[in-house]
Amino acid sequence: MESHLNSAETVSAYDELPLWSAIFGLMLLKHVPLRRNVRVLDVGCGTGFPLLELAQRLGPTCAVVGLGPWEAALDRARFKARIRGVLNVEIRQGDAGAMPFGDEQFDLVVSNLGLNNFGDPDAAVAECRRVMKPAARLALTTNLQGHMGEFYEVFESTLRGLGRVVALDALKKHVNHRATVEGVGALLERNGLRVTRVLEEATSMRFADGAALFRHYFIQLGFLEGWKGVVDPREAEETFSRLEKALDGLAESRGELSLSIPMAYVEAERI
Ligand SMILES: C[S@@+](CC[C@H](N)C(=O)[O-])C[C@H]1O[C@@H](n2cnc3c(N)ncnc32)[C@H](O)[C@@H]1O
């Protein structure tokens, strides 16, 4: 056992998933229907979450397929499946909007932070419906408007203070692109699915100050580019330096920088 625990492969596969995915994935894993003898599809499976966890929780009577376009991530998922000995999983490269599957193949389709982020969510949902068996369920999680609201308020007041009118408009669009429960319901409905269950929760991501937020690895990977896209590149340095100071000020006055993360778990069936 000792030598197994010290193998680089074991340690690498043990290192599970982004904390960001986990917050939403725990919600999904808490509520998603788990039955024997089902075929499941995880759309936008990334590096294998919740794909591999679901495959293990469902066990050997079930088959779980992961789909995504990001080849390097799929290789990572395949590696983890091999090292962990997860045998009931298959990983396919492809686009949710043009799935490489026949009609009515799956009893359950899941997507953790996927569907609403895809380039063409309507095409993706229409494809989900096509590959769902008549009695199948779709279960997804998404973040919602209100996401990091405290940060966006400071961003807005910083832009206002600097008189950046164009950027204020771009910020509004950026904030409004975030999902709402109503918007997800409408997306599903116009593509032949009916919402059967909606659960909402909120958590927070806490930082000591703005400096910590902007230097956080996953914030840089997943969010910073979108925030920078709001401002004219020539004004980015000044804007972000002011924004960081303003966030530091908020942290100082409140004792920390706590950002709200509202989340939804949505389940749907075929109409
Ligand atoms: C926010 S990540 C979530 C990944 C994973 N489900 C998790 O919880 O960690 C979104 C995923 O969607 C995938 N994706 C983006 N566009 C896609 C598309 N058109 N079809 C399928 N997956 C897509 C990305 O490759 C990425 O893995």
Side-chain angles (χ1 to χ4, degrees), residues 21 44-46 49 68-70 94-96 112-113 117-118:
S21 302
C45 66
F49 183 79
W70 181 13
D95 177 1
N112 191 52
L113 291 169
N117 284 322
F118 299 167

Side-chain angles (χ1 to χ4, degrees), residues 80-125:
K80 286 194 277 192
R82 179 170 63 80
I83 298 302
R84 295 177 191 175
V86 184
L87 301 176
N88 57 337
V89 74
E90 184 194 343
I91 295 164
R92 300 280 297 269
Q93 201 204 4
D95 177 1
M99 293 189 190
F101 310 116
D103 296 353
E104 302 187 358
Q105 300 268 305
F106 297 97
D107 302 280
L108 173 68
V109 175
V110 303
S111 193
N112 191 52
L113 291 169
L115 283 181
N116 61 306
N117 284 322
F118 299 167
D120 187 346
D122 279 280
V125 175

